[in-house]
Amino acid sequence: QVQLEVSGGALVQAGGSLRLSCAAFGDIFTIGTTNWYRQPPGKQRELVAAIRRSGSVVYADSVKGRFAISEDSAENTVYLQMNNLKPEDTAVYYCNVELLIAPYDQWGQGTQVTVSS
């Protein structure tokens, strides 16, 4: 079993920065990929960024050049550094891990990011 603890959401002005954290506990050796998703108000959840076990990363086009996903293996924590935030980045952000064994998927609690114009 893997448990995720998410933190870092806040209210910030446009152009500002935030860093979200996703700390993993438990059977962390079963984690394959860590994803950050977000769900804007009234919209569907969307993938923002992902970091694979290999270290490779992917980003949604909307955040490329502004967001950076990284991992601190010693702390078992994945970060999402968000720079030059825009009002359209306002959403609940979720951390998700894809596991190598059942249940194959685990979600952390959401954290609210609100960007004011």
Side-chain angles (χ1 to χ4, degrees):
Q1 291 285 343
V2 172
Q3 297 81 42
L4 302 174
E5 189 174 288
V6 178
S7 61
L11 170 65
V12 64
Q13 288 190 330
S17 298
L18 280 176
R19 188 178 76 163
L20 305 183
S21 301
C22 176
F25 303 91
D27 296 333
I28 58 173
F29 60 92
T30 66
I31 296 174
T33 299
T34 302
N35 305 301
W36 282 101
Y37 284 84
R38 67 184 181 188
Q39 186 163 18
K43 296 185 179 180
Q44 290 189 332
R45 193 172 295 186
E46 61 183 5
L47 179 66
V48 176
I51 185 166
R52 299 189 177 97
R53 196 179 183 91
S54 64
S56 64
V57 299
V58 293
Y59 296 99
D61 288 343
S62 59
V63 306
K64 281 180 181 176
R66 299 189 299 121
F67 290 13
I69 189 170
S70 62
E71 181 176 17
D72 184 334
S73 298
E75 297 292 330
N76 299 321
T77 299
V78 171
Y79 300 99
L80 184 67
Q81 178 67 44
M82 305 185 294
N83 300 323
N84 189 22
L85 283 160
K86 304 176 180 181
E88 51 264 42
D89 294 318
T90 294
V92 178
Y93 284 71
Y94 297 90
C95 178
N96 162 267
V97 291
E98 298 174 23
L99 305 175
L100 302 175
I101 60 174
Y104 300 111
D105 191 59
Q106 183 67 45
W107 290 86
Q109 80 278 15
T111 187
Q112 178 70 47
V113 172
T114 302
V115 184
S116 62
S117 57

